[in-house]
Amino acid sequence: MTQRHTAGGVVSLIGALVGIVGVFAAFLLAYQPMMNAKLATGRSDEALIIQYAIPFLSDVGIASGVIWAVAAYGFFRERLWAWTLAVIANVMTLLAGFFSMIPAVIEGLFPTFIIVFAPGMVTYFLLLAYVRRVDGRIIALSLFSGMAYITAFMNGVATTDKIILYGDPFMIALQRLNWFAAAGWGIFTVGLLKRKTWVKPLGLGAGLMTLVGGVPLAAVSTISEGRFSMFSPAPLLGLLLLIVLLVPAGNRMVTQWLDSWATAEAASP
């Protein structure tokens, strides 16, 4: 597979800077204001979530910067594995950047972690459309699976807040299923871009897990609150991705993408 090594190295250095310096700076600027805002509104439960979730995501973001740096080394040494590491790092960066903006936005604060998320989106498209050219339909599919990955993770965190407030066994039973689904979609996204043959069964499993863990949450929340539930995006995305993987046109698109790589590998010396 042809890739632009120098461009990949430059993109990866940018990713490393964003992941290490950007995440660290965003955490220092945003963490205490978000905590203070939640405590000021009497939401000690949400402050507790921030107390643990944001440092964890900061760790994820900084770790992604380290992986970006290793990828940069690989690109400048013209190693094919560098692109794989860069994609993994990018997926991690996007989770850390997007989720960490939400508490700030809810409280009317500036979403400081935009300095992580926005460059992460740029590097994602550069990796897939320039450093190594990926089919546009696969890029779109990876974006949807990436959104499922983030929203399923969010459902698990939001469920944790409900557990803190009410200790509801219903929420306890569903909490971790959403994180299993999130992990499935994160791995699916990387595997899809790497053209791994196991991505289709993994996607089917992740989609079903998203429905099992998300639909009950969305249904109960919608009925009790009488409005669209923020638990709904993850199962809706999971359903959409399941449909894409199961209908003939979508299945054929993914199969052709995977098979074209297998054919190229077999033909290479």
Side-chain angles (χ1 to χ4, degrees):
M1 174 62 68
T2 303
Q3 61 186 27
R4 293 179 169 89
H5 296 287
T6 301
V10 172
V11 169
S12 296
L13 287 177
I14 294 171
L17 182 66
V18 170
I20 297 173
V21 179
V23 171
F24 186 68
F27 177 82
L28 293 180
L29 292 170
Y31 176 72
Q32 199 60 53
M34 287 192 289
M35 287 285 291
N36 293 340
K38 292 298 182 183
L39 292 172
T41 57
R43 293 305 303 268
S44 58
D45 55 307
E46 293 185 357
L48 186 62
I49 295 294
I50 290 173
Q51 181 180 351
Y52 291 101
I54 300 302
F56 166 74
L57 290 168
S58 176
D59 292 344
V60 171
I62 292 172
S64 77
V66 172
I67 297 172
W68 272 117
V70 177
Y73 166 81
F75 275 120
F76 289 127
R77 298 282 292 183
E78 300 190 356
R79 301 293 189 263
L80 291 177
W81 51 259
W83 191 80
T84 301
L85 284 187
V87 170
I88 293 171
N90 215 150
V91 169
M92 294 169 64
T93 300
L94 291 174
L95 175 64
F98 184 83
F99 182 88
S100 300
M101 293 191 297
I102 295 173
V105 171
I106 291 173
E107 296 301 327
L109 302 173
F110 178 75
T112 308
F113 275 86
I114 190 74
I115 67 175
V116 176
F117 180 73
M121 287 300 300
V122 173
T123 55
Y124 192 76
F125 283 108
L126 286 174
L127 283 176
L128 303 188
Y130 185 73
V131 175
R132 179 185 293 186
R133 292 190 181 278
V134 174
D135 187 312
R137 298 170 300 171
I138 298 300
I139 295 176
L141 181 59
S142 75
L143 287 173
F144 280 107
S145 64
M147 287 189 288
Y149 152 67
I150 292 173
T151 54
F153 179 84
M154 290 168 56
N155 274 6
V157 175
T159 306
T160 304
D161 181 63
K162 301 293 185 183
I163 294 170
I164 293 171
L165 286 172
Y166 311 115
D168 189 345
F170 176 78
M171 297 292 177
I172 294 172
L174 296 172
Q175 175 202 40
R176 296 168 305 283
L177 301 182
N178 286 277
W179 285 333
F180 279 122
W185 285 124
I187 297 169
F188 173 90
T189 302
V190 175
L192 176 69
L193 297 173
K194 282 296 297 175
R195 295 178 167 180
K196 299 298 183 180
T197 56
W198 41 258
V199 297
K200 285 202 287 186
L202 175 61
L204 296 175
L208 183 57
M209 184 64 80
T210 308
L211 297 182
V212 170
V215 169
L217 291 174
V220 169
S221 178
T222 299
I223 293 170
S224 63
E225 298 176 11
R227 58 180 174 81
F228 179 80
S229 170
M230 292 310 296
F231 285 117
S232 299
L236 288 174
L237 285 165
L239 178 62
L240 173 64
L241 288 161
L242 274 177
I243 291 172
V244 170
L245 292 173
L246 289 172
V247 299
N251 185 282
R252 184 165 54 250
M253 174 189 71
V254 175
T255 299
Q256 289 174 349
W257 167 251
L258 300 177
D259 287 350
S260 62
W261 171 255
T263 301
E265 285 282 278
S268 62

